[in-house]
Amino acid sequence: MTKYFIGLILIMGSNIAFAKCSINIEASDAMQFNQSNITIDSSCKKLTLTLKHTGKLPVNAMGHNWVMTKSSDMTDIANAGLAAGLSNNYLPNNDQRVIASTKIIGGGQSDIIEIDVSKLTKGGDYVFFCSFPGHWAIMKGKVSVI
Ligand code: CO
């Protein structure tokens, strides 16, 4: 009985120390993300990321996605995404430079993805952006892996 309670206390204690392994991001009709810096804790095995479009405009007018790449790959991926079109979520197919991405969503929609954190490098130079045409100039930010 005592052993059981000690075990229970240890489990509860370790819960408090767990890293935050889920992130919620919002994008709006004003063509903006609500965050410009995202931190991923490398002690997370997987990170659950939820993108929510808080606006009302349809996907073809104000579509948003959340795409993560290395900083040096962003422009190339954004340009390739432009050519790929909406039916491909404005991203090149099976491009290994895309580390993670949600689908393109319109107002009132959301998408949830899981990111394999073990593939990321601590201190790596990562960014996130929306690959909808013209959005990445404004809709972008830094991803820090700590
Ligand atoms: Co967008």
Side-chain angles (χ1 to χ4, degrees), residues 24-112:
N24 295 307
I25 299 164
E26 293 180 356
S28 70
D29 281 347
M31 211 170 100
Q32 282 178 334
F33 286 118
N34 69 341
Q35 294 164 56
S36 54
N37 285 288
I38 285 171
T39 301
I40 297 178
D41 192 320
S42 57
S43 67
C44 296
K45 261 186 169 174
K46 282 182 176 175
L47 179 85
T48 305
L49 184 136
T50 305
L51 173 68
K52 187 181 177 191
H53 192 319
T54 58
K56 289 180 175 160
L57 292 170
V59 66
N60 58 346
M62 187 54 71
H64 299 309
N65 61 357
W66 187 93
V67 182
M68 179 177 170
T69 64
K70 284 183 187 165
S71 176
S72 55
D73 291 333
M74 185 180 85
T75 307
D76 276 359
I77 292 294
N79 284 327
L82 184 61
L86 178 58
S87 60
N88 291 306
N89 291 297
Y90 289 113
L91 284 177
N93 273 325
N94 298 318
D95 194 310
Q96 296 303 306
R97 294 172 297 173
V98 176
I99 296 164
S101 65
T102 68
K103 60 185 179 188
I104 294 255
I105 56 172
Q109 298 179 314
S110 57
D111 192 29
I112 302 174

